[in-house]
Amino acid sequence: MTADAGLPDTLRDLPAWTPSPVELADLELLLAGVYRPLPGFLGSYDTAMVVAGGRLADGTPWPVPVTLTVPKELTDQERVVLQDPEGVPLAVLDVAEAWQDPTTQEWRLAGPLEALRAPAHGPFHSLRRRPDELTPVEGPVLAVATRDPLHRKQLGQLRQVAERLGANVLVLPLLGGEHDESLVRALLGVRKELPDGTRIVPVPLPARGGDGERDVLLRSHVAASYGATHLLAEAELEGTAIPVVVPEPWAYDADVEVWRPVARIEPDHVQAELTPERLAELLDAGEPVPDWFTPPAVAAELVRARPPKHSRGITVFFTGLSGSGKSTVARGLADALVERGGRTVTLLDGDVVRRMLSAGLTFSRADRDLNIRRIGFVAAEITRHGGTAICAPIAPYAATRAEVRRMVSAVGDFILVHVATPLEECERRDRKGLYAKARAGLIPEFTGISDPYEEPDDADLTLDTSRMAPDEAVGQVLGLLVDGGWVRPE
């Protein structure tokens, strides 16, 4: 793919590439100077040094690899335009090194960047700022870099530490999770409970997984780039770009009904904190989040981000051999849910999708994977908006099913049903004559005959329709949804 025709003539014929979401976030932070002193994406030696010891090759402390993965065909290029998912060019990478990661075998490009335009931020773009766009303030600045809302405990601790330091407060919502907008709204909703002059600046910094200490180190670099002098964190850590401040323990005093330092509470008056697991249970059941735990504005955002199960979007994904009965059970489930009412239902049957959504695709492995990804994309959008998507493709490959699970789970719930009817029974049914043609060699790469079916080891329910009537199979799936709270009992 060549770059945007609206670019200067010197750049117009360059190849273009769209980085992954994490790499796009890194690109934005590199261009904004948040990752200073990094001039661009790291090469092989710098990356190895960072992974091994948390330092660049020149000895500069840096906690995490910042790399760019590309297809092999781009590794012979001298310059590459980096663009967003809509094809808007953001920067030009001057390739200093093309290298292959020895662990993943992925190809990467390294080199400095030339900014073309600022990324389009979407919601809350008015809050997004480069570090050089913030007006400096006098005195200490206490930063809170968070991927979670601030509840009453954290708000009290923050006020106490800010007062002790005589510090201004900078709240950095770290974007890149499942519910970025809810996080920002929750923080804006408690602004009146934050110290006067508190600034809230969203920063695109997705969680990378793995080492929690390196995540804190990276947060400290980001906070320092925005002018913070201290970082509020749960534990002390050496090597941070700015000092970490750990608040003293707080708890809820049930006697006077306030949050305050544990040292000031009689032991028998300390009320047990609401655990994340218990909070999830309350939200799943549609029960109110207690006011003593979090302000109403935060509670409202928690409910938006995690609606009760009976109104939350869900995908029920059937997988099984051709002729296994998955389409019959899927249609029966759709009918049963419509009859009950209370949920919008969309049926994405394999054959119908092939005609309408994936017309023109072959039955090669690549095209079959693409077909399942398309189904997953549509199902995820239905789920995102609170609907029920019922999918019934063969979906023979575990990796592609896992990809669909990830897509859907980012916005709602995912149930995998394996219709494990034996191959012999599927062949016996063979209403379309497909197995006979496959046995005769007339259909290449036919699942179960000349191409493998990878049985799932992560199914939430397994059915064998050779041992039960369709109504019984539908009843088992419906029972799972009722027991799980996604469907109300009759």
Side-chain angles (χ1 to χ4, degrees):
M1 157 179 262
T2 55
D4 186 282
L7 290 170
D9 290 342
T10 54
L11 304 177
R12 189 172 298 165
D13 295 329
L14 294 180
W17 176 246
T18 302
S20 72
V22 171
E23 292 166 344
L24 279 171
D26 285 340
L27 174 62
E28 181 173 345
L29 297 179
L30 286 165
L31 296 176
V34 177
Y35 278 175
R36 197 172 284 121
L38 303 190
F41 290 100
L42 298 181
S44 56
Y45 190 38
D46 273 324
T47 298
M49 294 294 288
V50 167
V51 171
R55 291 181 178 274
L56 300 173
D58 64 4
T60 302
W62 189 260
V64 298
V66 179
T67 58
L68 176 68
T69 302
V70 298
K72 185 178 180 181
E73 52 265 29
L74 286 181
T75 56
D76 61 351
Q77 300 295 319
E78 295 182 357
R79 307 185 82 196
V80 176
V81 173
L82 302 180
Q83 61 187 17
D84 70 13
E86 296 179 355
V88 177
L90 303 176
V92 176
L93 173 69
D94 288 310
V95 179
E97 180 187 3
W99 58 285
Q100 190 172 24
D101 189 296
T103 303
T104 66
Q105 303 305 309
E106 294 174 319
W107 287 95
R108 307 192 193 279
L109 296 181
L113 295 160
E114 173 191 341
L116 296 176
R117 56 171 60 84
H121 296 312
F124 298 112
H125 66 275
S126 62
L127 298 178
R128 300 276 279 269
R129 293 288 185 274
R130 297 167 54 103
D132 57 13
E133 293 175 331
L134 288 185
T135 304
V137 296
E138 295 184 3
V141 176
L142 175 65
V144 181
T146 180
R147 294 187 175 91
D148 300 302
L150 299 178
H151 302 299
R152 294 200 186 278
K153 173 184 174 180
Q154 290 81 30
L155 289 167
Q157 290 174 316
L158 174 57
R159 288 192 297 265
Q160 182 189 43
V161 172
E163 183 177 352
R164 174 163 59 84
L165 294 176
N168 294 281
V169 172
L170 174 64
V171 178
L172 302 174
L174 303 180
L175 308 182
E178 298 172 7
H179 305 289
D180 288 344
E181 291 80 11
S182 283
L183 172 61
V184 177
R185 284 195 300 265
L187 294 171
L188 292 174
V190 296
R191 204 166 197 167
K192 64 180 184 300
E193 302 193 37
L194 294 168
D196 290 342
T198 293
R199 292 184 287 184
I200 299 176
V201 181
V203 177
L205 193 73
R208 295 169 185 266
D211 193 332
E213 288 190 357
R214 294 207 181 199
D215 181 61
V216 175
L217 291 172
L218 183 59
R219 294 188 197 197
S220 76
H221 279 274
V222 171
S225 74
Y226 278 95
T229 59
H230 299 77
L231 178 69
L232 194 69
E234 296 180 358
E236 294 182 359
L237 185 64
E238 294 183 359
T240 52
I242 51 179
V244 165
V245 182
V246 179
E248 66 174 304
W250 276 46
Y252 185 71
D253 189 335
D255 183 43
V256 293
E257 299 182 336
V258 295
W259 285 90
R260 56 181 181 171
V262 172
R264 296 172 53 191
I265 306 175
E266 294 293 331
D268 58 343
H269 292 163
V270 174
Q271 180 167 312
E273 191 168 354
L274 202 63
T275 64
E277 294 76 17
R278 178 55 184 153
L279 175 60
E281 290 175 0
L282 292 175
L283 294 169
D284 286 348
E287 298 179 16
V289 179
D291 184 74
W292 64 264
F293 172 71
T294 199
V298 177
E301 290 306 326
L302 293 176
V303 172
R304 281 186 186 146
R306 190 182 179 111
K309 276 192 170 184
H310 60 76
S311 61
R312 188 182 308 166
I314 183 173
T315 290
V316 183
F317 193 95
F318 291 85
T319 176
L321 295 171
S322 176
S324 62
K326 60 188 180 300
S327 294
T328 300
V329 180
R331 285 194 300 271
L333 177 64
D335 292 342
L337 292 176
V338 170
E339 289 170 8
R340 281 173 171 253
R343 275 196 169 271
T344 57
V345 180
T346 301
L347 178 61
L348 299 172
D349 182 66
D351 291 335
V352 175
V353 168
R354 272 282 177 180
R355 290 197 302 271
M356 302 300 294
L357 187 64
S358 296
L361 293 185
T362 69
F363 286 88
S364 67
R365 174 157 189 162
D367 276 4
R368 279 187 282 182
D369 278 345
L370 178 56
N371 178 52
I372 301 304
R373 290 191 188 97
R374 288 179 178 178
I375 292 173
F377 174 79
V378 175
E381 288 303 301
I382 292 167
T383 302
R384 181 195 306 277
H385 296 289
T388 301
I390 300 175
C391 311
I394 293 174
Y397 308 125
T400 318
R401 293 193 301 261
E403 188 176 342
V404 173
R405 183 187 284 273
R406 286 192 296 271
M407 278 193 285
V408 173
S409 296
V411 295
D413 290 342
F414 182 89
I415 298 292
L416 181 65
V417 179
H418 178 205
V419 185
T421 306
L423 175 62
E424 296 77 14
E425 175 63 16
C426 295
E427 281 200 76
R428 187 190 67 77
R429 295 173 180 176
D430 202 15
R431 293 181 301 170
K432 303 173 187 176
L434 299 178
Y435 283 100
K437 292 179 180 178
R439 292 288 187 190
L442 300 177
I443 303 179
E445 297 181 297
F446 188 82
T447 301
I449 303 299
S450 52
D451 203 66
Y453 176 81
E454 299 172 0
E455 293 199 358
D457 57 9
D458 60 342
D460 300 283
L461 179 65
T462 299
L463 304 171
D464 180 352
T465 63
S466 69
R467 298 170 178 264
M468 64 182 72
D471 286 349
E472 183 182 353
V474 170
Q476 287 203 22
V477 182
L478 194 57
L480 176 66
L481 298 180
V482 171
D483 292 343
W486 291 284
V487 175
R488 295 185 187 275
E490 285 188 314

